[in-house]
């Protein structure tokens, strides 16, 4: 199966892109491709949901009987990712995380992944340590969650989780090192009251090994959630999965 390039990603209030206005500054993809805005920019982004062999639980394409469920915390009911972390999407996300290009976070609000957020009670962005957030000026996971929730006319449960221990960056670490790096780094905010019947949706920018998300799910345990789902803007896929399922981006 191969990714399709559907023109069904519809812009929402407060989000402008080349699909409608060719506003390069706010476009999540056109700016990442060197500032060349065109209608194709919104129709050339592959959606993970368009792969017929995608696992219903982890959202990763199944190749030779293997998906990504092994990376998920056992308490996660469903994990959804809108896009593969490659090409223009990867460049756009790096711009959000490291280039102070906050406007690109609005792109998630135009993706089908927000449907999972709509079905939950509270959207919980993966937190960032206060020192790092102060240095960067924002938490990209919180921005993505806020844009998506704004499109749904609801608020995020931003302060449900806190990162109480500052850890080194996960960049360059292998799966085990990532797990060790974030273990017991997150906790429930002191003023959060357990709601056993609630369905929480964790929101992050990229899922790589799932270690950060697993640590957050573990931290949510005191809330006695009825269900925990996960939404990420993109997923880092194995090279063989990309080769088998992802068509090259035009002009990428």
């Amino acid at each position: 199966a191969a990714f399709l390039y559907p023109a069904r990603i519809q812009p929402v209030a407060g989000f402008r892109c080349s699909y409608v206005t060719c506003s390069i500054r706010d476009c999540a993809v056109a700016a990442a491709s060197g500032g060349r805005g065109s209608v194709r920019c919104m129709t050339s982004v592959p959606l993970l949901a368009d792969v017929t062999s995608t696992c219903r639980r982890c959202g990763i394409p199944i190749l030779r009987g293997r998906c990504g469920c092994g990376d998920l915390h056992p308490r996660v009911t469903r994990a959804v990712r809108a896009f593969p972390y490659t090409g223009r999407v990867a460049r756009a996300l790096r711009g959000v995380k490291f280039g102070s290009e906050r406007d690109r976070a609005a792109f998630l609000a135009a993706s089908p992944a927000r449907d999972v957020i709509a079905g939950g009670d509270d959207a919980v962005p993966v937190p960032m340590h206060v020192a790092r957030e102060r240095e960067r000026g924002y938490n990209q996971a919180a921005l993505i969650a806020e844009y998506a929730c704004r499109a749904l006319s609801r608020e995020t449960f931003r302060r449900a989780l806190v990162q109480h221990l500052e850890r080194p960056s996960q960049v360059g670490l292998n799966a085990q090192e990532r797990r060790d790096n974030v273990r017991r780094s997150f906790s429930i905010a002191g003023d959060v009251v357990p709601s056993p019947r609630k369905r929480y949706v964790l929101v992050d920018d990229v899922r790589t090994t799932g270690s950060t998300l697993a640590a957050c799910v573990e931290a949510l345990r005191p809330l006695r959630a009825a269900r925990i789902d996960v939404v990420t803007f993109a997923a880092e896929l194995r090279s063989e999965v990309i080769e088998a399922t992802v068509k090259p981006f035009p002009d990428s």
Side-chain angles (χ1 to χ4, degrees):
F3 285 107
L4 306 176
Y5 301 138
R8 64 182 175 85
I9 308 176
Q10 297 299 320
V12 296
F15 171 61
R16 292 175 295 153
C17 70
S18 63
Y19 188 70
V20 176
T21 65
C22 201
S23 174
I24 299 300
R25 183 182 68 84
D26 289 335
C27 181
V29 181
S33 62
R36 299 187 299 276
S38 69
V39 171
R40 267 192 315 182
C41 128
M42 290 302 290
T43 60
S44 64
V45 181
L47 294 168
L48 284 176
D50 291 321
V51 179
T52 56
S53 60
T54 296
C55 174
R56 292 186 178 183
R57 178 178 180 243
C58 72
I60 297 296
I62 302 170
L63 185 64
R64 292 192 288 274
R66 180 183 175 189
C67 59
C69 283
D71 295 332
L72 291 181
H73 190 285
R75 292 217 61 205
V76 172
T77 302
R78 185 186 181 198
V80 175
R81 298 122 187 99
F83 307 100
Y85 186 68
T86 185
R88 295 176 182 175
V89 170
R91 292 196 292 274
L93 272 172
R94 286 195 291 269
V96 174
K97 292 185 71 168
F98 307 116
S100 299
E101 298 170 357
R102 302 173 56 157
D103 292 325
R104 298 190 187 190
F107 191 52
L108 179 62
S111 82
R114 74 166 185 254
D115 293 342
V116 176
I117 296 176
D121 295 306
D122 286 314
V124 181
V126 170
M128 180 182 290
H129 190 272
V130 62
R132 182 168 296 176
E133 184 170 351
R134 187 183 302 117
E135 178 182 359
R136 183 170 295 179
Y138 58 92
N139 172 5
Q140 69 276 359
L143 276 180
I144 290 171
E146 287 166 6
Y147 275 119
C149 288
R150 188 182 305 169
L152 298 166
S153 299
R154 61 192 301 176
E155 296 183 358
T156 59
F157 196 20
R158 181 166 184 177
R159 295 304 175 187
L161 286 176
V162 295
Q163 185 176 8
H164 59 269
L165 294 178
E166 186 174 12
R167 298 295 194 185
S169 170
Q170 298 275 70
V171 176
L173 301 182
N174 62 35
Q176 185 58 54
E177 290 170 337
R178 283 171 174 262
R179 286 191 290 270
D180 293 341
N181 191 42
V182 296
R183 184 175 289 118
R184 292 186 289 275
S185 295
F186 304 98
S187 58
I188 297 295
D191 58 348
V192 175
V193 178
S195 301
R197 296 181 179 180
K198 279 195 172 183
R199 171 184 167 184
Y200 295 98
V201 182
L202 271 173
V203 182
D204 204 1
D205 53 352
V206 182
R207 174 187 162 189
T208 306
T209 63
S211 55
T212 299
L213 291 165
C216 288
V217 172
E218 191 62 32
L220 286 173
R221 188 181 293 273
L223 295 186
R224 304 193 297 275
R227 171 172 174 155
I228 298 176
D229 292 328
V230 169
V231 168
T232 57
F233 181 89
E236 191 167 304
L237 306 178
R238 307 191 313 274
S239 58
E240 60 265 30
V241 174
I242 293 177
E243 292 172 3
T245 59
V246 182
K247 294 180 180 179
F249 287 106
D251 300 325
S252 62

